[in-house]
């Protein structure tokens, strides 16, 4: 019960943090409308939030691997919220970029440590990690609604109200950390691992994560404008598309954990990437309201492998779970922002449809990268130090068995 409570609290805290990742793209249409930014300038806002986050994420992962830093969870949550909350108060483009970068650093600091702590609380269960990832997905899904409710009513001057989730999220971290530090909570020390790292598989997985990230961030930044063009609707039509993109991920996060308990994770990840290829092509090419169906399918395809990539990365690098979690969980989102200026520049020079078309190719590349991966095998120490045996998924699937990390 203590572990389940911790997962629930960590999931809720994850939601509060990832509101601010979703808020960046959600604020872009309002910056364009109120400050007359071009597509390229608007994508620079996403870049600012992503650039420092992408650089800082592995550094925080290394710090987490060297020593537990649970205090980072509440502090980084507040930092992420503060940058977003202050971003609408000044017209200075440079200051806005700086505040977005501040928020990105907060998000970067949160994810490696939270992935390590969630792994402890999950005790190797895919479904538990799926619930933790679901929290972040729900935060993303809530971001456009929250931003619209606050900013659409009074303009960018009301962005300070967006700090509320950060305050709530930082408060939720504290009882979760106390539960894990309790007499029977197992502590927050990193799990020991007796298996060897598999850096080659981890690099291939990470490159697939980058493909997924660029696709997702590209869609989340520009899908609102694209759907407005394809349907002839206004900002409400665009916000609805962004909500569908984020909310569909809520289903995908949970389904991914369930499927991984029945099948091996690598197979689920591969098939998700294939679904994403078809779905993104539909988003780009299909006109009219049917585009919402493809947005939902793209969301599911992008999110089913979300938590599975985190646990796979940690199992490929069992001696550096903080670094692995920081890259697969944090960079899954932040690194995609580095490509948004290119998409924005192409959209300004030609059309938004032309700029988004290459996003259908990236999931295919991701599929090629994960195609040769195998389920991690060997002997690994679980979150509580218990040594568990691993076997390749092919042998298990052949007998109809399901084996998670605890098996």
């Amino acid at each position: 019960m203590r572990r389940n409570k911790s997962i629930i609290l960590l999931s809720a805290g994850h939601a509060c943090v990832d509101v601010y990742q979703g808020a960046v793209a959600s604020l872009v249409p309002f910056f364009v409308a109120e400050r007359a930014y071009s597509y390229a300038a608007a994508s620079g806002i996403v870049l600012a939030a992503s650039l420092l986050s992408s650089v800082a994420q592995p550094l925080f992962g290394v710090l987490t691997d060297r020593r537990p830093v649970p205090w980072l969870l509440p502090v980084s949550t507040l930092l992420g919220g503060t940058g977003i909350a202050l971003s609408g108060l000044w017209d200075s483009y440079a200051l806005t970029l700086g505040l977005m970068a501040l928020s990105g650093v907060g998000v970067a600091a949160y994810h490696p440590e939270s992935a390590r702590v969630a792994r402890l609380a999950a005790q190797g269960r895919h479904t538990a990690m799926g619930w933790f990832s679901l929290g972040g997905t729900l935060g993303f899904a809530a971001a456009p609604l929250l931003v619209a409710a606050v900013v659409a009513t009074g303009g960018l001057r009301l962005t300070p109200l967006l700090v509320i989730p950060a305050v709530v999220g930082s408060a939720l971290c504290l009882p979760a950390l106390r539960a894990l530090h309790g007499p029977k909570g197992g502590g927050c020390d990193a799990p020991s691992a007796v298996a060897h790292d598999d850096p080659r598989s981890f690099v291939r997985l990470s490159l697939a994560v980058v493909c997924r990230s660029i696709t997702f961030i590209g869609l989340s930044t520009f899908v609102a404008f694209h759907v407005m063009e394809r349907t002839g609707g206004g900002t409400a039509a665009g916000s609805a598309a962004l909500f569908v993109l984020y909310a569909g991920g809520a289903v995908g996060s949970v389904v991914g954990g369930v499927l991984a308990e029945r099948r091996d994770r690598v197979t689920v990840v591969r098939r998700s990437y294939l679904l994403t290829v078809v779905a993104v092509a539909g988003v780009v090419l299909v006109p009219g309201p049917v585009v919402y169906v493809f947005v939902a399918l793209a969301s599911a395809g992008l999110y089913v492998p979300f938590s599975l990539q985190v646990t796979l990365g940690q199992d490929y690098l069992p001696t550096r779970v903080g670094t692995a979690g920081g890259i697969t969980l944090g960079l899954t989102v932040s690194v995609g922002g580095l490509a948004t200026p290119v998409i924005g520049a192409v959209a300004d020079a030609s059309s938004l449809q032309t700029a988004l078309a290459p996003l259908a190719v990236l999931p295919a590349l991701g599929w090629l990268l994960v195609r040769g991966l195998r389920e991690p095998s060997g002997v690994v120490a679980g979150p509580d130090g218990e040594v568990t045996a691993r076997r390749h998924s092919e042998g298990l699937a052949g007998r109809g068995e399901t084996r998670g990390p605890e098996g």
Side-chain angles (χ1 to χ4, degrees):
M1 289 298 295
R2 185 188 298 270
R3 299 283 181 173
N4 290 337
K5 179 182 177 182
S6 295
I7 280 291
I8 293 171
L9 291 173
L10 289 169
S11 179
H14 194 189
C16 293
V17 171
D18 278 7
V19 160
Y20 299 109
Q21 297 205 78
V24 176
S26 302
L27 282 168
V28 164
F30 296 98
F31 282 120
V32 170
E34 195 166 317
R35 299 181 181 174
Y37 289 162
S38 65
Y39 283 139
S43 61
I45 294 174
V46 180
L47 174 64
S50 303
L51 185 58
L52 276 181
S53 182
S54 300
V55 173
Q57 201 97 228
L59 300 179
F60 283 111
V62 171
L63 173 64
T64 295
D65 286 332
R66 289 183 175 179
R67 54 176 294 183
V69 281
W71 56 265
L72 264 183
L73 269 63
V75 171
S76 60
T77 301
L78 290 172
L79 193 63
T82 299
I84 293 294
L86 298 178
S87 65
L89 295 185
W90 294 278
D91 291 334
S92 168
Y93 183 68
L95 184 55
T96 300
L97 295 183
L99 290 167
M100 288 296 186
L102 177 68
S103 178
V105 170
V107 171
Y110 175 85
H111 281 104
E113 180 66 8
S114 68
R116 185 189 65 81
V117 173
R119 180 182 173 93
L120 288 170
Q123 294 183 306
R125 294 169 294 159
H126 296 318
T127 49
M129 286 300 291
W131 285 111
F132 173 69
S133 297
L134 172 64
T137 305
L138 292 178
F140 258 98
L145 301 179
L146 180 63
V147 168
V150 172
V151 181
T153 56
L156 292 172
R157 63 183 179 83
L158 293 184
T159 55
L161 293 176
L162 297 176
V163 78
I164 294 174
V167 176
V168 174
S170 61
L172 290 174
C173 291
L174 302 179
L177 295 174
R178 280 198 298 268
L180 291 173
H181 272 300
K184 297 183 180 181
C188 280
D189 294 334
S192 59
V194 295
H196 295 294
D197 290 341
D198 183 359
R200 176 178 294 184
S201 294
F202 181 77
V203 168
R204 292 182 64 176
L205 177 67
S206 299
L207 291 174
V209 166
V210 169
C211 293
R212 184 260 183 205
S213 175
I214 295 173
T215 303
F216 178 76
I217 295 297
L219 283 178
S220 64
T221 303
F222 297 107
V223 73
F225 301 111
H226 177 69
V227 169
M228 288 163 60
E229 290 181 359
R230 303 298 282 174
T231 63
T235 55
S239 295
L242 198 58
F243 174 74
V244 170
L245 179 67
Y246 293 163
V251 178
S253 296
V254 176
V255 169
V258 173
L259 291 176
E261 297 289 352
R262 299 180 179 181
R263 298 282 299 178
D264 64 278
R265 291 170 290 179
V266 174
T267 297
V268 176
V269 171
R270 281 200 301 258
R271 293 178 179 178
S272 299
Y273 277 106
L274 287 178
L275 170 64
T276 305
V277 173
V278 177
V280 174
V283 171
V284 174
L285 300 175
V286 173
V290 181
V291 71
Y292 288 104
V293 175
F294 287 98
V295 171
L297 289 174
S299 177
L302 289 165
Y303 266 105
V304 162
F306 188 61
S307 65
L308 307 184
Q309 291 172 154
V310 177
T311 58
L312 275 172
Q314 291 175 328
D315 290 341
Y316 285 139
L317 292 184
T319 67
R320 290 174 284 174
V321 295
T323 300
I327 292 174
T328 53
L329 182 62
L331 292 191
T332 293
V333 177
S334 60
V335 76
L338 304 181
T340 54
V342 177
I343 299 174
V346 173
D348 285 332
S350 55
S351 70
L352 193 52
Q353 185 178 27
T354 301
L356 294 178
L359 296 183
V361 178
L362 289 171
L365 180 57
W367 175 79
L368 289 173
L369 287 165
V370 300
R371 186 168 178 265
L373 294 181
R374 291 176 177 267
E375 193 74 14
S377 63
V379 181
V380 181
D384 293 316
E386 178 185 358
V387 175
T388 58
R390 289 281 182 89
R391 285 180 290 174
H392 284 307
S393 58
E394 293 93 311
L396 298 173
R399 295 195 304 275
E401 297 178 24
T402 301
R403 305 288 286 227
E406 71 277 16

